[in-house]
Amino acid sequence: MKKLVLAFVAAFVFTACAPHTAGIMGSSTGEVRVDNKTFASEVSVDQIQARLQGDLLQGSGIIQSKVATDLRLQYKFTWYDVSGFTLEDEASAWKSLKLHGKQRMQVTALAPNASAVRYELYVRRAFSN
């Protein structure tokens, strides 16, 4: 019985947390991943670009609302070195963004160090706890 309750609680925790991180990812390599199709019908990520600013990689992308209502979103850049390891990922926080109906907004970030060779831009719906 104890194992059954523990399994139920674990399943509830994992399913309760899932919508908070599911969203859209756009990569500087051209890859786009959709983890939540409903969210992707409301928001798109495109025009992912990278350039050098001195010796640091700068990334940008356009986050666009596809709906007529306001959206409260969060976005985050994750940087990778040539071996595919993340760079200072724990130091990179989710940033808040509010888009009004059909609004497009460019977001940018600078790599934490010169080892960065690519990045991924994640976008998700913001939830208040």
Side-chain angles (χ1 to χ4, degrees):
M1 180 69 176
K2 187 176 181 180
K3 288 183 181 179
L4 181 62
V5 170
L6 184 58
F8 177 74
V9 169
F12 177 75
V13 168
F14 289 124
T15 57
C17 294
H20 292 280
T21 56
I24 303 172
M25 181 277 297
S27 172
S28 59
T29 61
E31 177 188 0
V32 175
R33 187 180 72 227
V34 175
D35 297 325
N36 182 324
K37 291 181 182 178
T38 303
F39 181 69
S41 70
E42 299 175 351
V43 176
S44 67
V45 177
D46 56 6
Q47 295 183 26
I48 302 292
Q49 300 177 346
R51 69 177 181 181
L52 284 176
Q53 284 288 92
D55 61 343
L56 297 177
L57 190 64
Q58 181 183 33
S60 71
I62 302 288
I63 302 172
Q64 179 174 349
S65 168
K66 298 179 182 178
V67 296
T69 58
D70 290 353
L71 294 172
R72 294 187 186 281
L73 308 172
Q74 293 178 320
Y75 70 93
K76 176 181 179 179
F77 285 83
T78 299
W79 302 92
Y80 296 89
D81 67 12
V82 70
S83 299
F85 289 96
T86 58
L87 300 173
E88 301 180 28
D89 192 42
E90 299 82 26
S92 176
W94 288 92
K95 295 178 176 63
S96 295
L97 173 69
K98 182 178 181 181
L99 291 180
H100 301 289
K102 306 286 185 171
Q103 183 179 5
R104 298 167 45 97
M105 186 168 294
Q106 182 181 46
V107 294
T108 62
L110 203 57
N113 60 53
S115 300
V117 295
R118 69 179 184 89
Y119 70 92
E120 294 175 347
L121 170 59
Y122 294 90
V123 181
R124 67 183 184 186
R125 185 179 312 280
F127 289 91
S128 54
N129 294 331

